[in-house]
Amino acid sequence: MQNNNSALDAADTAQRHKETNLRRLLNPASIAVVGASADPSKAGSQALRSLNGFPGRVVAVHPRESVIQGRHCYPTFADILEPVDLAILAIPAQHCIQAARDAAASGVGGIFIISGGFGESGAAGARLQEELADICRASGMRLLGPNTSGFINPQKQCVASFVPGVDQLPKGRIAVIAQSGGVNLSIAFQIQRLREGISLAVGLGNAVDVEAADVLSMLASDPNTTAIALHLEGVPQGRKLFEVLSTVTRLKPVVALVAGRSDIGEFAVSHTGNLMGSYQRTASALTQAGAVVVDSTEELAQAASILAHRRLPPKARNGFALVTGQAGPGLLIIDGLKTAGLDVPELASATIEKVQSLLPPMTFVKNPVDTGRPGPGFTQVLSAVAADDRIDAVFVYALHEPAVLDPSAAISPAVNREKKPVIFGTLGTQEDLQPVLEQLVRAGIPAVLGPERLVLAGKVLDADSRGQWRLKKSSFTSPIAGDTATLANTLNEDQAKAFIASYGIRTPQRKFCIGKNEAIEAFKALTKPVVVKIAADDVPHKTEVGGVFLGIQDLQSLSSALAAIERIPTKTPGQFLVEEMAPLGVELIVGAVNDSSWGPCVVIGLGGVLAEAVSDSSVRLAPISELDAADMLEGLRGKKLLDGFRNLPVCDRSAIADVAVKIGQILIDHPEIAEIEINPLRVNAEGAVALDALVVLKNQQETTS
Amino acid sequence: MQNNNSALDAADTAQRHKETNLRRLLNPASIAVVGASADPSKAGSQALRSLNGFPGRVVAVHPRESVIQGRHCYPTFADILEPVDLAILAIPAQHCIQAARDAAASGVGGIFIISGGFGESGAAGARLQEELADICRASGMRLLGPNTSGFINPQKQCVASFVPGVDQLPKGRIAVIAQSGGVNLSIAFQIQRLREGISLAVGLGNAVDVEAADVLSMLASDPNTTAIALHLEGVPQGRKLFEVLSTVTRLKPVVALVAGRSDIGEFAVSHTGNLMGSYQRTASALTQAGAVVVDSTEELAQAASILAHRRLPPKARNGFALVTGQAGPGLLIIDGLKTAGLDVPELASATIEKVQSLLPPMTFVKNPVDTGRPGPGFTQVLSAVAADDRIDAVFVYALHEPAVLDPSAAISPAVNREKKPVIFGTLGTQEDLQPVLEQLVRAGIPAVLGPERLVLAGKVLDADSRGQWRLKKSSFTSPIAGDTATLANTLNEDQAKAFIASYGIRTPQRKFCIGKNEAIEAFKALTKPVVVKIAADDVPHKTEVGGVFLGIQDLQSLSSALAAIERIPTKTPGQFLVEEMAPLGVELIVGAVNDSSWGPCVVIGLGGVLAEAVSDSSVRLAPISELDAADMLEGLRGKKLLDGFRNLPVCDRSAIADVAVKIGQILIDHPEIAEIEINPLRVNAEGAVALDALVVLKNQQETTS
C-alpha cells in the first residue's frame, strides 16, 4: 500500500516536472542555440537572428567559434554554467541525439529541433526519433519537434523560429497550436491580418514528445490566452486529446482544423510520420469535446479572432438578428445563417413596433431589419433589436459611408446596455476603412470584412455555445447493467442477441434450433408469421447466401425454407434460428468500433444501400449520453425519414438513443470487442428492435485479417 | 412577306437602338443629375460629388437653383440643349415617372433611379414600376434600377453612385454585375483588396429594364473586360439569361453567386420584388451555360481575379500540381483539391527523376513536390513540374522568406517556357509581403494569400475549363422522332407509357383491360410473373391505395388481386393494367418540368425515400445532350449505386442518359405539358425500363391546384 502510494507520488512528481519543463521550453528566460551560423540562408543563422529582440540570455553552442552574431559561444552544454530553459537545435538529424543527451544531462528545460530526417523519412529516422523519445522519458526534458519551424511567444518576446517576419507578429490573446510549423505561421500571419494578436504560436512537427494535448493543457490556465486555434494532421493518442480538450473548452473556446478529408495518407506520412485516421471520427470527437471544427486556415483565424473577443454562454440554440443598411448583402447573410441551420427568429412584436416607429414605412423589420441607407435612427434601431429577448447576438452590416454612419458610435450604446455580442460587417476601400476598423478595435467591437464573415461568426458563436451546453448537459447515468463477463468465443446470432438483450436492448422472440424437429416445435410456439434463418457459425452474411426466409405463416412454407437452408454448405449444418417477425418500421444501423486512437466510438446510420453509398452516419466517442445520441440523429442528412416521411412511421427517437447509449456501454465494459453492429435496428412509434446483431472480438479480427 | 421583313427590320433597329442606349448609359459622355442637393447626407448630393472626377459634361436639373456644387442647373430636361447620355434621378419614387418621361422625350440615352418605393414595396410601387417599363419600351431609353446604388465605370472615370470611396476603385479587367447595389460595391471593394481592378461594376436593383443578360451581352465584346462576376437574387427570365450566358462564357469567364439556398423569400421580395425560384435550377442552369458558380462574395471576387488573369483551355479534366516549401500547408492544399474531386496526378517518371536529382533524398516528389525550405534548385524543380504533360496548371506555396526565395524570379522561367498558369500562394506580415505581391503583379503572376485560396483557384480554373469543354462537346442529334400531336386530355398510365414509348423509351409489355375477363386473357398472353394495377383515371397514387399487386404467377393470385382492386373506390371501376414484371435493377426517377423562368428542365434522381429526403437529384435545362445526362449522373451523391454497389447490378448509364435526353425532347415538343415523370425507371446492365409514367398537362395543373 505504502509502496503503491510512493509510486503514485513519484509519477505525480514526474508529471509536474514535465509540465514545468514545458513551461520553461515555451516561456524561456534563457536560450542556447546549437548550430548557429554566419550564412544567412541557413536556418541556424536566422534562428539566432530572430532572438535579437529576446530580453533574456542567449548563448550559442559551437565546438570551434567563440562568438557568433555577437553571442558568446560555449563548446558544449556542460560548459554553460547558468541554467538553460530552451535549447534550439539547428543541426542535422544525426547530430541531434548527442546534443539532446548533453542538454538533458545539463538540466535544460526543453529542446526544439528544427531539422527533418526523423520519423517522416523512413526506418532509420524513426529509430533516431525513438532515441529522442527515450531521452525525454528518462530525463523529463521536453522536446518540441523535430521537423518544425518552432514557436513564437510574443508575451516573452521570444521568437524561436527561423522564418523571418515572425518577430513582427503582434502580442495578443489568440494561441495557435499546429501540427505543422508552416501551418502554424500561415495561421498566425492570417490572425495578424485580422488585426488580432498572438499569445503563443507553436508548430509541433513530428510531436515526438510535446503534443497538442500538452500545450492545450498548459494554455487552459494561461491568462493571456482567450481563444485557441488548433490544427491537426492525424491524432495518434485521440482519447488523451479528447479528455484534455473536454476540460479546456469549458474554460476557453477552441477552434480546430483537421487535415485528411480525402485520401492524402502517403504524403501525410512523408510529412510527420502520422497516420491520418478517420476524418469523420476526428472531427466528431473534437466537436463532442466542445471544439468548433472549421474547414480552412482562413476560417480558423477568423473564428478564433471572433471567439477571442467573446463567446456566447452555453445554450442549446441561439437567436441571431441582423440590422443591415444594404438589403442585398443582408439577403446573403440571412441566407447563409439559415442554410447553416441557425435560428433567425422573428423579432418580438414590441421590438417590431419600436423599430417601425424609427424607420420609414414599407421597410422590412421582422429580422433582418433592413434600415435602408442608415439614418439618424440607426443607433436606436440597433439598441431595440439587441434588447429583444429572442436575440442572443446581433450582426450589423453597412458599407463604409461616414456621412451617414459612425459604426462605433452607433453600436456602443447597444453593446453597453445589453451585454450581448454585436459584430459589425463592412466593406470600403482599404484606405478609408483603416481608421474605422482601428476605432472599432479601441471600442472593443469586433469587425469583419464582407457579408459572409458574419455568417461565419454566427456559425462559430453558435457552435461554441452549443458545445459548452452539451458538455454541461451530458449526464451519464450509473453504469447500465449487462453481461460483463469477458467474451472469449465467437457469438452466433442467437448468442449475440442474448448478449445485447442482457443490456436491455429489445430483440425478437426466437429459438435457436438444432434439427428440423426443434424448428417445427419453435414455429408452433411462436407468434406467426416468423422468419427462419440459417444459424451456422461460419456464415456471417446470411441474406447473401439465401439463408433468410421471411413471413413464414404455415408449416408447408416452413418446411421448404428449412430444406433450402439445409442445402447451404456449412461446417455446422442443421442449425436454424426461428424468430417472430418484427412490426414494420424504419431501419437503422447502430454499432460501435474500438478505434486504435479514439477508443470506443458509437456509430448511428440509416439502413439501406443509399445511406451506405453516401456515408450518412454520425459518430461519437463512448460513453455517450441520451443527449449525444439525439444529437447524432440530428446529424443524419436523411433524418427526415425518422419523422413520418411519406408512408413511413414516426420513429421513437429516444428508443434509438437508448440503444446507442447501451451499445457504447457494451464497448466500454468489453475491451475484448473490436466491433459490434445491430443491422438492422427496426424502429417505429412503439420502439426499436434489433433484428440482427454481430459481435467481432479482437482476437477474431486478428485471425481473420 | 415584305411586310414581315420590314417588321423584322424594325424590331432589329429597335434592338440596336436599345443596345446603343445601354452603351450610352454605362459609358456616358455627358450626365445630368436630377435631385442634386447641398445636404451631404442626401444621396443626390453625394451622387453629384462622386462625378467630380468625370471628364465629360455634368449638369444638374433643378426647378429653382441655378448652380449646385458648381454645376450649372437647368429647370427641365428640355432646357438642356446638348445630348445627355445618362440622367441620374436622385428623387423620390413618385416624381420619377415625370422625370423619366421628360428624359425620354429629350433623347436621354438612359436613366438611373436611386430611390426605392417601387416593385419591392407593394402594389402602388409596382404600378409606378410598370409605368417606367412602359416609358422605356415606347422610347427605347434604358433604365438602370430603380432601387440601386448605381454603377462605376473606371474606364470612363464615371462614378454614378452615392456611396463614397467608390471613385477610388482602380481601373482593371473585372466587370461586376450584381442584382443589388450593395452587393455590387461589396464585391468591387473585395476585388480592390485582391489588387485587381474594375472595368465596370453595376448594381441592377429592381432591374425593370436593364437586366443581367443585357449587361452580359454588352460585356461580351468589351475589350477591357477579361472576367465577369455575376450576382443574382432570383431570375425572372431564366431562359434568356441562359442563352446569353452560353454565348458569353465561350468568350470570357463568368463567375456567379446566387442567393436563395434557404427560404428567404419574404425578405427577398421586400428587396427587389423578385421571387427567388429554385436555387438548384438556377445554379444548375448557370453551370450548364458555362459559368462557375461559387458560394460567397469573397469567392466571387477571388475567382474572378484568378480567371481575369487567365483561363485554362476547354478540357474534360485538368491535372494540377503543387510545389510547396512547407509540407503542412501543402497537405491542406492537396486535401482540398482532392476533396473537390480534382485531379492531382502522379508526375511522370521522367519528371520525378529530374526533380529527385534537384532535391535532397527522402523528399516527397510524386505530386505534391515538397521541396522543404526552398533552396537554389527551386526554380528548376518548378520548371520541371510545369513541363510535365500530365499537368495543366501549377500551384506554388511558400511562406515569405526573402533570404531563400524570390517568387517572381523563381516562377517566371516556368511561366515563360511552358505557357501554363502558375499561381503563387503565400503568407507573411502585411508589410513584408506588399512589395513581393506588387512585384508579382508586374511579372503577371497571380498570387493569393493562404493555402485554401490555391484550392479555390484549382476549383475555379477546372470548372471554367470543363464548362467550356461541355459547351463545345454537347452536340444535339436531329430531333428525336415521337408523337408530337398536342395532348389535350389526361393520360392514364397505359397511355402515358404508350406516349413515352413513341419517343423510344422502353416500357414493359402490358395490356389495359376493361373487366376481369380481359385481365385474365391478358395474363394468359403475357410472360409470367406479371404485375396487376388499378387503371382508374382518378387514382394517380396507385401503391398508396393498395392498387398494385406484384409477382402474380397463377390465376388464383390474379383473381384475388383483381377482387382487391375492385374494392378501391373510383369513378372508373373495373379497369386494370396487366403488365410483365421487369428484371431486377436499380430504380431511378427521370422527369422534366416546365419552369416558369427557365423553361423545360430535366431532373434525374435516385429512387427511394432516402434519396427524396436528402434531395439527391440533378437538373439541367432541356434540350440536354448525352454528355449533359452523363454529367447529371456524375452529380448524384449516391452515384456509387449505379456501378455495382453491394449486390446491385452495374447500370447501363448510357441507357439512363438516353431516357433523360428523350424526356427533355418531349417537353420541348409539347409545351402543353407541365410535368412528366418516370418513377421508377428500372435500370440494370441490359438497359432501362419505365415502370410507371405520369404526364401532367398545364390545363390539368391549373384545374387541380
Side-chain angles (χ1 to χ4, degrees):
Chain A
M1 190 71 180
Q2 249 181 343
N3 266 351
N4 247 354
N5 264 352
S6 60
L8 283 175
D9 285 350
D12 209 34
T13 309
Q15 180 59 28
R16 276 203 304 275
H17 178 56
K18 285 180 69 180
E19 286 171 10
T20 305
N21 277 343
L22 180 60
R23 280 202 190 80
R24 289 177 66 198
L25 197 172
L26 295 173
N27 304 273
S30 62
I31 303 175
V33 177
V34 186
S37 146
D39 175 353
S41 77
K42 292 271 191 276
S45 161
Q46 183 63 48
L48 192 55
R49 189 166 300 110
S50 298
L51 292 169
N52 279 343
F54 180 64
R57 219 164 57 87
V58 178
V59 300
V61 177
H62 200 284
R64 291 172 306 277
E65 307 289 336
S66 60
V67 174
I68 298 176
Q69 289 181 31
R71 305 289 190 177
H72 186 76
C73 293
Y74 294 87
T76 69
F77 276 107
D79 298 305
I80 313 174
L81 297 177
E82 301 82 356
V84 170
D85 289 331
L86 164 64
I88 300 176
L89 272 50
I91 50 177
Q94 68 273 20
H95 300 313
C96 284
I97 308 300
Q98 191 55 50
R101 278 212 185 92
D102 294 350
S106 306
V108 167
I111 59 175
F112 143 46
I113 299 182
I114 294 176
S115 58
F118 291 91
E120 83 287 0
S121 71
R127 273 193 302 276
L128 289 180
Q129 186 164 305
E130 208 32 66
E131 285 191 63
L132 288 175
D134 286 341
I135 295 166
C136 291
R137 265 192 296 268
S139 64
M141 181 182 75
R142 306 309 299 266
L143 162 63
L144 179 66
N147 192 18
T148 170
S149 56
F151 72 93
I152 310 115
N153 183 339
Q155 308 288 341
K156 295 276 176 188
Q157 290 152 276
C158 172
V159 179
S161 173
F162 58 87
V163 179
V166 294
D167 52 334
Q168 291 161 49
L169 286 169
K171 182 161 77 171
R173 53 196 173 183
I174 302 175
V176 182
I177 308 171
Q179 184 80 59
S180 143
V183 173
N184 179 44
L185 296 178
S186 295
I187 296 165
F189 286 130
Q190 294 191 65
I191 289 170
Q192 186 215 15
R193 283 172 181 268
L194 296 171
R195 301 164 301 283
E196 279 286 344
I198 301 291
S199 61
L200 177 71
V202 185
L204 301 171
N206 290 12
V208 167
D209 175 49
V210 174
E211 51 186 86
D214 299 315
V215 186
L216 276 168
S217 225
M218 188 191 88
L219 290 172
S221 57
D222 175 28
N224 298 317
T225 301
T226 61
I228 300 169
L230 177 64
H231 160 261
L232 297 168
E233 272 181 19
V235 182
Q237 295 193 64
R239 191 53 74 148
K240 176 181 166 193
L241 178 63
F242 177 78
E243 302 298 347
V244 169
L245 200 51
S246 303
T247 310
V248 176
T249 59
R250 287 169 206 258
L251 302 170
K252 46 189 78 174
V254 178
V255 189
L257 171 67
V258 181
R261 284 165 180 271
S262 66
D263 178 14
I264 48 169
E266 194 189 357
F267 176 46
V269 169
S270 86
H271 179 205
T272 61
N274 277 2
L275 295 170
M276 296 302 291
S278 147
Y279 177 85
Q280 190 196 18
R281 282 178 206 166
T282 305
S284 298
L286 298 178
T287 306
Q288 190 178 351
V292 177
V293 177
V294 295
D295 289 333
S296 65
T297 56
E298 268 184 89
E299 287 189 359
L300 192 67
Q302 182 73 73
S305 80
I306 288 163
L307 289 172
H309 176 79
R310 185 173 187 174
R311 69 200 306 203
L312 281 171
K315 196 169 178 186
R317 285 183 79 75
N318 292 282
F320 295 94
L322 171 68
V323 177
T324 184
Q326 287 83 33
L331 202 62
L332 293 173
I333 295 162
I334 297 296
D335 197 15
L337 293 172
K338 288 195 172 181
T339 303
L342 301 186
D343 265 359
V344 185
E346 187 169 310
L347 297 173
S349 54
T351 312
I352 291 179
E353 275 169 41
K354 171 80 180 158
V355 171
Q356 272 170 335
S357 74
L358 295 163
L359 291 175
M362 309 303 291
T363 318
F364 195 88
V365 296
K366 291 175 181 175
N367 191 9
V369 175
D370 172 14
T371 62
R373 194 155 184 257
F378 199 87
T379 303
Q380 284 172 278
V381 167
L382 183 52
S383 294
V385 172
D388 193 311
D389 284 343
R390 301 179 185 179
I391 301 306
D392 297 290
V394 184
F395 300 136
V396 181
Y397 190 83
L399 290 172
H400 177 67
E401 284 192 83
V404 292
L405 183 71
D406 173 347
S408 59
I411 294 172
S412 292
V415 174
N416 295 339
R417 195 160 41 228
E418 304 302 335
K419 313 289 177 206
K420 293 177 186 174
V422 179
I423 302 184
F424 183 59
T426 188
L427 273 170
T429 67
Q430 195 130 21
E431 300 70 31
D432 285 353
L433 272 187
Q434 201 54 38
V436 181
L437 295 174
E438 282 165 14
Q439 204 180 354
L440 286 163
V441 168
R442 281 194 299 275
I445 299 163
V448 297
L449 294 179
E452 291 84 6
R453 297 269 165 155
L454 288 178
V455 176
L456 180 66
K459 290 192 217 179
V460 160
L461 285 168
D462 192 59
D464 176 63
S465 161
R466 276 190 295 123
Q468 296 172 67
W469 179 81
R470 279 196 312 268
L471 285 176
K472 263 179 89 162
K473 289 280 171 180
S474 276
S475 61
F476 300 97
T477 44
S478 50
I480 299 146
D483 181 353
T484 54
T486 301
L487 304 172
N489 299 311
T490 310
L491 303 183
N492 64 28
E493 181 184 344
D494 183 46
Q495 291 161 335
K497 281 180 171 167
F499 174 61
I500 62 170
S502 79
Y503 278 83
I505 295 172
R506 269 178 64 197
T507 54
Q509 285 294 321
R510 68 190 174 279
K511 180 88 177 61
F512 174 75
C513 311
I514 298 182
K516 285 185 181 179
N517 286 342
E518 279 191 29
I520 291 164
E521 288 313 306
F523 174 77
K524 289 178 181 164
L526 292 169
T527 306
K528 266 59 77 179
V530 300
V531 53
V532 181
K533 307 181 193 176
I534 185 167
D537 293 347
D538 52 353
V539 182
H541 303 293
K542 299 177 281 284
T543 305
E544 289 165 25
V545 297
V548 178
F549 292 81
L550 301 170
I552 304 286
Q553 293 271 18
D554 50 49
L555 281 167
Q556 192 191 332
S557 320
L558 176 68
S559 132
S560 35
L562 295 173
I565 289 172
E566 282 194 315
R567 287 192 292 273
I568 298 168
T570 160
K571 287 178 194 156
T572 55
Q575 298 186 170
F576 312 97
L577 192 64
V578 183
E579 193 169 65
E580 290 181 0
M581 291 280 285
L584 291 177
V586 178
E587 299 197 337
L588 286 93
I589 302 174
V590 178
V593 61
N594 210 324
D595 185 271
S596 58
S597 171
W598 297 104
C601 301
V602 178
V603 187
I604 303 181
L606 288 164
V609 283
L610 182 58
E612 196 185 342
V614 302
S615 307
D616 192 9
S617 64
S618 296
V619 183
R620 293 291 183 285
L621 304 202
I624 60 167
S625 66
E626 296 254 349
L627 187 69
D628 292 325
D631 206 52
M632 291 174 80
L633 293 176
E634 266 311 299
L636 294 175
R637 270 179 281 163
K639 63 182 171 186
K640 272 189 199 172
L641 295 195
L642 303 177
D643 304 318
F645 191 70
R646 298 293 169 214
N647 294 318
L648 298 174
V650 173
C651 293
D652 179 351
R653 285 185 173 220
S654 69
I656 308 169
D658 181 64
V659 172
V661 168
K662 286 169 173 165
I663 282 284
Q665 183 64 43
I666 290 175
L667 237 68
I668 289 169
D669 289 350
H670 293 272
E672 73 277 18
I673 296 181
E675 201 180 332
I676 181 166
E677 187 177 83
I678 298 175
N679 181 10
L681 180 75
R682 173 81 58 84
V683 189
N684 58 26
E686 268 60 59
V689 187
L691 300 195
D692 200 353
L694 182 70
V695 178
V696 181
L697 301 180
K698 283 185 182 158
N699 57 16
Q700 257 176 291
Q701 205 181 30
E702 278 148 20
T703 52
T704 56
S705 66
Chain B
M1 191 70 181
Q2 248 180 343
N3 266 351
N4 248 355
N5 264 352
S6 60
L8 284 175
D9 285 351
D12 208 34
T13 308
Q15 180 60 29
R16 276 203 305 274
H17 179 55
K18 287 180 67 180
E19 286 170 10
T20 304
N21 277 343
L22 181 61
R23 279 201 190 82
R24 289 176 66 197
L25 197 172
L26 295 173
N27 304 274
S30 62
I31 302 176
V33 177
V34 187
S37 145
D39 175 354
S41 75
K42 292 270 192 278
S45 161
Q46 183 63 47
L48 192 55
R49 188 166 301 110
S50 297
L51 291 169
N52 279 343
F54 180 63
R57 218 163 59 86
V58 178
V59 299
V61 177
H62 199 284
R64 291 173 307 277
E65 307 289 337
S66 60
V67 174
I68 299 176
Q69 288 182 30
R71 303 292 189 174
H72 187 76
C73 293
Y74 294 87
T76 68
F77 276 107
D79 297 307
I80 313 174
L81 298 177
E82 299 83 355
V84 170
D85 288 332
L86 164 65
I88 300 176
L89 272 51
I91 50 178
Q94 67 272 22
H95 300 312
C96 284
I97 309 300
Q98 191 55 49
R101 278 214 185 91
D102 293 351
S106 306
V108 167
I111 60 176
F112 143 45
I113 297 182
I114 293 176
S115 57
F118 292 90
E120 83 286 0
S121 71
R127 273 194 302 276
L128 289 179
Q129 186 164 303
E130 208 31 67
E131 284 191 63
L132 289 174
D134 286 341
I135 295 166
C136 292
R137 264 192 296 270
S139 64
M141 181 181 75
R142 305 310 298 267
L143 162 62
L144 179 66
N147 193 19
T148 170
S149 57
F151 72 91
I152 310 115
N153 183 338
Q155 307 289 338
K156 296 276 175 188
Q157 289 152 273
C158 172
V159 180
S161 173
F162 59 86
V163 179
V166 294
D167 52 334
Q168 291 162 48
L169 287 168
K171 183 161 76 171
R173 52 197 173 182
I174 302 175
V176 181
I177 308 171
Q179 184 80 58
S180 143
V183 173
N184 179 45
L185 296 179
S186 295
I187 297 165
F189 286 129
Q190 294 191 66
I191 289 170
Q192 186 213 15
R193 282 171 182 269
L194 296 171
R195 301 164 301 283
E196 278 287 343
I198 301 290
S199 61
L200 178 71
V202 186
L204 300 173
N206 290 13
V208 168
D209 175 48
V210 174
E211 50 187 89
D214 298 316
V215 186
L216 276 168
S217 224
M218 189 192 87
L219 290 172
S221 56
D222 174 29
N224 298 317
T225 301
T226 61
I228 300 169
L230 177 64
H231 160 261
L232 296 168
E233 272 181 19
V235 182
Q237 295 192 61
R239 191 53 75 146
K240 176 180 165 192
L241 178 63
F242 178 76
E243 302 297 347
V244 169
L245 199 52
S246 302
T247 310
V248 176
T249 58
R250 287 169 206 259
L251 302 169
K252 47 190 77 173
V254 178
V255 190
L257 171 67
V258 182
R261 282 164 181 272
S262 67
D263 178 16
I264 48 169
E266 195 190 356
F267 176 45
V269 168
S270 86
H271 179 204
T272 62
N274 278 2
L275 296 170
M276 296 303 291
S278 145
Y279 177 85
Q280 189 196 19
R281 282 179 205 165
T282 305
S284 298
L286 298 178
T287 306
Q288 192 178 349
V292 177
V293 177
V294 296
D295 289 334
S296 66
T297 56
E298 268 185 88
E299 286 189 0
L300 192 66
Q302 182 73 73
S305 80
I306 288 162
L307 289 172
H309 177 80
R310 186 171 189 176
R311 71 201 303 202
L312 282 171
K315 195 168 178 187
R317 285 183 79 75
N318 292 282
F320 294 93
L322 170 67
V323 178
T324 185
Q326 288 83 32
L331 201 62
L332 293 173
I333 296 163
I334 296 297
D335 197 14
L337 294 171
K338 288 194 172 181
T339 302
L342 301 185
D343 265 359
V344 185
E346 187 168 310
L347 297 173
S349 53
T351 311
I352 290 179
E353 275 168 41
K354 171 80 180 159
V355 171
Q356 272 171 336
S357 74
L358 295 161
L359 292 175
M362 308 303 292
T363 319
F364 196 87
V365 296
K366 292 176 180 176
N367 191 9
V369 176
D370 171 14
T371 62
R373 193 154 184 258
F378 198 86
T379 302
Q380 283 171 278
V381 168
L382 183 52
S383 294
V385 172
D388 192 311
D389 285 342
R390 300 178 185 180
I391 299 306
D392 296 290
V394 184
F395 300 136
V396 180
Y397 190 84
L399 290 172
H400 177 65
E401 283 192 84
V404 292
L405 183 69
D406 172 348
S408 58
I411 295 172
S412 293
V415 174
N416 296 338
R417 195 160 43 227
E418 303 302 335
K419 313 289 178 205
K420 293 176 187 174
V422 179
I423 302 184
F424 182 60
T426 188
L427 273 170
T429 67
Q430 195 130 20
E431 302 67 34
D432 284 354
L433 271 187
Q434 202 53 38
V436 180
L437 295 173
E438 281 164 14
Q439 204 182 354
L440 285 163
V441 168
R442 282 194 298 276
I445 298 163
V448 296
L449 294 180
E452 292 84 6
R453 298 270 165 153
L454 288 178
V455 176
L456 180 65
K459 290 192 216 179
V460 160
L461 285 167
D462 192 58
D464 176 63
S465 161
R466 276 190 293 123
Q468 297 172 66
W469 180 81
R470 278 197 312 268
L471 284 176
K472 262 179 89 164
K473 288 280 171 179
S474 276
S475 62
F476 300 97
T477 43
S478 50
I480 300 145
D483 181 353
T484 55
T486 301
L487 304 173
N489 299 311
T490 309
L491 304 184
N492 64 29
E493 182 184 344
D494 183 46
Q495 289 162 335
K497 281 180 170 166
F499 173 63
I500 63 170
S502 80
Y503 278 83
I505 295 172
R506 268 177 66 197
T507 55
Q509 285 294 319
R510 70 190 172 281
K511 182 87 176 61
F512 174 76
C513 311
I514 298 184
K516 285 185 179 178
N517 286 343
E518 278 192 29
I520 291 164
E521 287 314 304
F523 174 78
K524 288 178 179 163
L526 292 168
T527 306
K528 265 62 75 179
V530 300
V531 53
V532 181
K533 306 181 194 176
I534 186 167
D537 293 347
D538 53 352
V539 182
H541 303 293
K542 300 176 281 283
T543 305
E544 289 166 24
V545 297
V548 178
F549 292 82
L550 301 170
I552 306 284
Q553 293 270 18
D554 50 48
L555 282 168
Q556 192 190 334
S557 321
L558 177 68
S559 133
S560 36
L562 295 174
I565 289 172
E566 282 194 318
R567 286 192 294 272
I568 298 169
T570 160
K571 288 178 193 155
T572 55
Q575 297 187 170
F576 311 97
L577 191 64
V578 182
E579 194 169 65
E580 289 181 359
M581 292 279 286
L584 291 177
V586 178
E587 299 197 338
L588 286 92
I589 301 174
V590 178
V593 61
N594 210 322
D595 183 271
S596 58
S597 171
W598 297 105
C601 301
V602 178
V603 186
I604 303 180
L606 287 165
V609 282
L610 182 59
E612 196 185 342
V614 302
S615 308
D616 192 8
S617 64
S618 296
V619 183
R620 293 290 184 283
L621 305 201
I624 60 166
S625 66
E626 297 254 349
L627 186 67
D628 292 324
D631 206 50
M632 291 174 81
L633 293 176
E634 266 310 299
L636 294 175
R637 269 179 282 163
K639 64 182 171 186
K640 271 189 199 171
L641 296 195
L642 304 177
D643 303 319
F645 190 69
R646 299 294 168 209
N647 295 318
L648 297 174
V650 173
C651 294
D652 179 350
R653 285 183 172 221
S654 69
I656 309 169
D658 181 63
V659 171
V661 168
K662 285 170 174 165
I663 282 285
Q665 183 65 41
I666 290 176
L667 236 69
I668 288 167
D669 290 350
H670 293 272
E672 73 277 18
I673 296 180
E675 202 179 332
I676 183 165
E677 188 176 84
I678 298 174
N679 181 12
L681 180 76
R682 172 80 58 85
V683 188
N684 59 26
E686 267 61 59
V689 187
L691 299 195
D692 200 354
L694 181 70
V695 178
V696 180
L697 301 181
K698 282 185 181 156
N699 56 18
Q700 255 176 291
Q701 205 180 31
E702 279 147 21
T703 53
T704 54
S705 67

